[in-house]
Amino acid sequence: MPLPALKLDYANVLDTAVGATHGLSLAELRRAEPEVQTLVARIERERKAGQHRYRELPHDAAMLKTVQAAVRRYRGKFENLVVLGIGGSALGNIALQTALNPCYYNLLPARERGGPRLFVMDNVDPTQFGNLLDLLGPALRKTLFNVISKSGETAETAAQFLIVRDLLQRKLGRAGLRANLLVTTDPEGGTMRGIVDAEGYAALPVPPGVGGRFSVLSAVGLFSAGLCGIKIDRLLAGAAEMGRRVGKTAVRQNPAALLALLLHTFYVRGKRLHVMMPYGYALKDLADWYRQLWAESLGKRCDLDGQVVGVGPTPIKALGATDQHSQVQLYREGPNDKVFIFLEVERYARDVKIPRAAGLPADLDYLQGRTLGTLLSAEKRATEYALVASERPCLTIRFPVVSAETVGQFILLWEAATTIAGGLLHINPYDQPAVQMGKEFTFALMGKQGYERQAREYAKAAKRGGKHIV
Ligand code: PA5
């Protein structure tokens, strides 16, 4: 049976909808297609030669088997799962959980949950982290910690790991430490690999050649999802289906190519803010995941020839209907420098009826006997209509339903669109040199050996800047 397929509706970015000044003509699109077609063909050749490794994850049966075996090993043994990671080692886990498990999952009784409660700690806020440890303290023996760090050198995750390692060792002893800690890291090198090997922790691999923000469909995102009852094989099946679509060179049959082409064309025309606005709570954290993927991959100082170009669209997340009452005033009447990407759900997982009530003002009649799903869908269409009336280009990605299959498709769609957009911008979408500098200066300020030069540089700059504080 064919999987329910995601659809990309681009009618409202065309000049026929938003006018010639802000919309694209079909002729313009046709003129841009050959470049994208050549690029997709090149990416496919590179993929077959071993590049763009994330594209292989949906077909990686050995990887799936390893993750499923780990899920079986831990299933039923823990009440809580705490993921310690940041950036690409956390955002996918959060997104999958919000999309595919019931809202308020952690508050459900154990028998109604597909697995342990899940806490993803992607920060080192001391109050938050301390409060979580207090909360879990009495149930420490029933808490599994999954440390996720490809490099093992990320300060935030390393600090969390040291705290949890010490806590487990003190409270549960060495055997408890080993039983309650699972590390997801590079299988061959890096600081965390060295620790895993030396101290004998259970581990899962981050596949070589797959960067953090492209790793959600590996053990990085799949273990917590699988342990919490999400059908990870269906997630990969959806991603594999999208993998087939995004390999096609014909742009109109390839939603990733079309997305990249449209967003790149708008970028060049000065619409550099790309707002993703899901109409569905389940999809809200996928917008957060997209924000990292689009920003960290495409925001680059230098192009592939080393020329300083300073490019990159700014991804923004919003949530319908909530942000209609917060952002839409700006979106309709402020600068026309944005493209809107709505995420629409055709059939919500459930619906809630608005009851009929006698004796109320006629003003509320239009709601009575309808459903919240009907209202939310109407709000999406109305908001899009209003934006289009103000000549704001709008795309819609339509989910027939929110399921493991469609979420898998969505993930691969955006990963592939990012690769293609990187090609159009002529930059490397897989590195993040600018993040590195902040990491190095954090090391310097924390007194890490080998970062003395940065520490001196920082002190000098601080002195030069002087104090100008009100
Ligand atoms: O996308 C990326 O590469 C980053 O967001 C990383 O995932 C993040 O910096 C965490 O890195 P690591 O997994 O090495 O701790």
Side-chain angles (χ1 to χ4, degrees):
M1 213 175 59
L3 297 179
L6 283 196
K7 293 195 185 85
L8 172 63
D9 184 339
Y10 60 102
N12 284 337
V13 298
L14 298 177
D15 54 359
T16 40
V18 291
T21 312
H22 294 284
L24 304 176
S25 70
L26 284 173
E28 249 177 301
L29 273 185
R30 267 193 295 274
R31 277 197 298 277
E33 279 179 26
E35 186 193 350
V36 179
Q37 214 160 313
T38 309
L39 181 57
V40 171
R42 196 192 81 205
I43 291 168
E44 285 309 292
R45 281 195 305 279
E46 290 170 348
R47 183 176 73 75
K48 285 176 191 143
Q51 292 185 48
H52 317 295
R53 299 300 301 166
Y54 72 87
R55 288 280 303 279
E56 308 313 317
L57 295 175
H59 314 282
D60 192 338
M63 181 272 297
L64 176 61
K65 238 170 127 180
T66 305
V67 176
Q68 284 172 330
V71 167
R72 275 196 302 276
R73 176 177 166 191
Y74 291 103
R75 173 151 288 152
K77 299 202 174 86
F78 292 94
E79 287 168 9
N80 307 300
L81 169 63
V82 181
V83 167
L84 305 176
I86 196 165
S89 293
L91 289 165
N93 303 62
I94 298 170
L96 292 181
Q97 178 73 1
T98 309
L100 298 171
N101 265 332
C103 310
Y104 314 114
Y105 168 91
N106 278 0
L107 299 180
L108 293 174
R111 64 179 184 286
E112 287 175 34
R113 276 189 265 117
R117 283 183 283 263
L118 176 67
F119 302 89
V120 182
M121 297 304 285
D122 64 345
N123 209 337
V124 283
D125 181 282
T127 313
Q128 184 196 20
F129 201 73
N131 284 357
L132 181 75
L133 294 185
D134 288 350
L135 181 77
L136 300 179
L140 200 59
R141 199 170 286 284
K142 288 277 171 198
T143 301
L144 176 66
F145 292 89
N146 181 201
V147 179
I148 308 179
S149 181
K150 185 177 165 72
S151 62
E153 276 148 27
T154 306
E156 296 85 348
T157 312
Q160 293 173 335
F161 163 71
L162 291 173
I163 295 167
V164 165
R165 177 181 174 277
D166 171 71
L167 182 70
L168 289 174
Q169 199 160 350
R170 275 190 294 108
K171 301 281 181 195
L172 307 181
R174 282 205 70 73
L177 169 61
R178 289 219 186 97
N180 292 42
L181 195 66
L182 169 68
V183 180
T184 306
T185 192
D186 192 287
E188 274 144 29
T191 309
M192 196 54 86
R193 180 81 252 164
I195 297 173
V196 165
D197 292 343
E199 305 197 349
Y201 301 129
L204 286 169
V206 181
V210 178
R213 56 192 175 275
F214 289 85
S215 69
V216 54
L217 297 178
S218 75
V220 170
L222 295 183
F223 174 74
S224 66
L227 195 63
C228 293
I230 291 169
K231 293 193 168 44
I232 56 177
D233 55 340
R234 304 312 302 157
L235 197 61
L236 293 183
E241 175 57 24
M242 184 55 77
R244 277 186 279 282
R245 293 175 72 186
V246 304
K248 292 187 179 167
T249 47
V251 174
R252 306 285 177 95
Q253 291 172 29
N254 178 336
L258 196 54
L259 254 185
L261 184 158
L262 293 170
L263 291 172
H264 177 258
T265 308
F266 278 117
Y267 176 82
V268 172
R269 284 174 52 164
K271 295 195 195 305
R272 299 185 167 187
L273 307 180
H274 298 168
V275 181
M276 182 174 282
M277 192 160 181
Y279 274 73
Y281 181 86
L283 302 175
K284 87 177 175 46
D285 291 326
L286 278 168
D288 227 356
W289 170 85
Y290 141 84
R291 195 167 63 125
Q292 183 209 14
L293 183 72
W294 208 237
E296 205 164 277
S297 304
L298 301 180
K300 297 291 151 76
R301 177 169 180 266
C302 292
D303 70 9
L304 292 170
D305 304 319
Q307 300 294 321
V308 176
V309 285
V311 292
T314 301
I316 297 170
K317 59 165 189 165
L319 179 65
T322 308
D323 287 323
Q324 287 171 206
H325 301 268
S326 152
Q327 303 291 298
V328 167
Q329 172 61 33
L330 167 76
Y331 292 168
R332 274 199 72 203
E333 294 188 357
N336 195 339
D337 53 1
K338 302 171 194 64
V339 184
F340 298 91
I341 308 157
F342 289 103
L343 307 186
E344 187 178 72
V345 182
E346 281 176 344
R347 193 155 45 82
Y348 291 103
R350 62 183 295 183
D351 212 341
V352 176
K353 194 153 183 201
I354 306 166
R356 293 191 183 279
L360 292 177
D363 271 2
L364 298 182
D365 281 356
Y366 74 103
L367 291 172
Q368 297 187 31
R370 312 298 296 277
T371 68
L372 292 184
T374 314
L375 176 60
L376 192 55
S377 298
E379 299 219 32
K380 185 267 169 184
R381 284 179 283 132
T383 303
E384 184 175 15
Y385 183 81
L387 286 166
V388 168
S390 303
E391 301 180 317
R392 317 284 150 147
C394 297
L395 289 164
T396 291
I397 297 175
R398 204 159 282 136
F399 286 68
V401 289
V402 179
S403 65
E405 286 89 351
T406 55
V407 169
Q409 291 174 48
F410 181 86
I411 287 168
L412 205 91
L413 168 66
W414 278 98
E415 289 177 341
T418 303
T419 302
I420 300 167
L424 291 170
L425 289 168
H426 196 54
I427 52 94
N428 175 4
Y430 302 126
D431 64 1
Q432 54 281 329
V435 182
Q436 195 52 29
M437 189 173 180
K439 282 190 181 182
E440 284 176 16
F441 276 77
T442 302
F443 292 155
L445 295 180
M446 293 295 287
K448 183 171 176 177
Q449 222 180 359
Y451 293 85
E452 295 75 11
R453 179 188 59 74
Q454 287 90 336
R456 282 194 300 276
E457 212 179 288
Y458 183 89
K460 234 197 255 167
K463 215 161 163 194
R464 231 182 6 250
K467 276 200 170 35
H468 304 282
I469 300 168
V470 181

